[in-house]
Amino acid sequence: MKGSSALLLVAVTWLCTCGLATGEDTSEFFMDFLQTLLVGSLEDLYEGPLSKYNVNADAKSAMTKLKSCIDDLQPMHKAELVKLLVQVLGSEDSA
């Protein structure tokens, strides 16, 4: 579990840094990334939120492991994460 948490932390840090470096709205990028990570495929990630970035082989390997961790979650836990994401997206829409 510690490895998965560390991997997630690295991914989040990398995503925020990429968003800040490009001047993109990081919260919008991050939410799109999370949504795709939870319910999409790796191909969806590379064709969607990550399409503007040159993702190197090591980052692709990390993304594969991260996606695998998420896909291995119990269905009820994954569903709760999706509900949380919907809640966060809904609160951003009303802001």
Side-chain angles (χ1 to χ4, degrees), residues 9 11-13 16 22 25 29-31 40-41 52 59 73 78 81-82:
L9 180 60
V12 169
T13 303
C16 289
T22 62
D25 178 10
F29 172 82
F30 186 67
M31 296 309 287
S41 67
K52 299 180 208 174
L73 289 172
K78 195 170 179 180
L81 288 173
V82 170

Side-chain angles (χ1 to χ4, degrees), residues 24-94:
E24 183 176 353
D25 178 10
T26 55
S27 64
E28 181 180 332
F29 172 82
F30 186 67
M31 296 309 287
D32 187 31
F33 175 82
L34 279 179
Q35 181 178 4
T36 307
L37 191 62
L38 285 169
V39 297
S41 67
L42 282 172
E43 291 77 26
D44 294 333
L45 280 170
Y46 297 128
E47 293 171 4
L50 298 176
S51 63
K52 299 180 208 174
Y53 305 101
N54 181 16
V55 182
N56 67 36
D58 288 337
K60 284 185 179 183
S61 178
M63 294 301 295
T64 299
K65 289 180 182 183
L66 180 59
K67 180 66 176 145
S68 177
C69 289
I70 289 174
D71 289 346
D72 288 343
L73 289 172
Q74 294 292 322
M76 69 178 246
H77 294 141
K78 195 170 179 180
E80 289 302 318
L81 288 173
V82 170
K83 282 186 204 175
L84 178 61
L85 181 61
V86 168
Q87 182 181 359
V88 170
L89 289 171
S91 69
E92 284 185 352
D93 290 341
S94 64

